[in-house]
Amino acid sequence: MATDYDTPRTADIEDASEQSLEALKARRADAAADLGDDVDPFETELGLPGADLAGEELNVRVLPRQADEFTCTQCYLVHHRSQLVDERRMICRDCAA
C-alpha cells in the first residue's frame, strides 16, 4: 500500500492543539524532575579517571609467543599466522593495508 507523504497531517496537529498549556507545563516539569541526580548504573561498574588505585595490584598471565603466531615488524603485535601477508618482511594484514 502506497503512502502519500505530501498530504497534511491533521491528526497530529489536532492532538497538539487540544492539549492545554497547563498539561504541557506539567509534562515538562515531570521530564525535568526525571533528570535529577540519579546515579548512572554504568558509572558504578566502571573505574573513573582519577580514582585512587594505589592499593590495587594487577595480575596478568603472559604467555610466550606460540608456534602458530608471529610478531609484526610494523606494529609489534603478536598475530596468528593467518594474518601474515608478507613472510619476508613479517607484516600483518592490518599494516599491509
Side-chain angles (χ1 to χ4, degrees):
M1 181 162 107
T3 303
D4 185 11
Y5 291 105
D6 294 330
T7 59
R9 297 182 202 150
T10 57
D12 294 339
I13 296 170
E14 291 171 2
D15 292 340
S17 63
E18 290 177 5
Q19 294 177 353
S20 66
L21 182 59
E22 289 79 23
L24 293 173
K25 285 182 181 179
R27 188 181 321 154
R28 179 184 245 177
D30 290 341
D34 290 342
L35 296 176
D37 294 332
D38 295 336
V39 177
D40 188 10
F42 296 111
E43 278 185 16
T44 58
E45 296 177 14
L46 298 175
L48 299 177
D52 183 22
L53 301 175
E56 298 293 324
E57 184 176 328
L58 180 63
N59 294 322
V60 178
R61 184 172 159 220
V62 178
L63 297 174
R65 186 178 54 164
Q66 304 297 311
D68 61 344
E69 296 176 333
F70 74 99
T71 304
C72 177
T73 57
Q74 294 287 323
C75 64
Y76 302 105
L77 294 176
V78 177
H79 296 282
H80 189 265
R81 280 275 184 210
S82 64
Q83 299 291 317
L84 183 62
V85 173
D86 188 352
E87 194 168 331
R88 182 178 54 82
R89 294 177 22 204
M90 298 298 285
I91 296 178
C92 70
R93 184 177 297 161
D94 294 334
C95 293

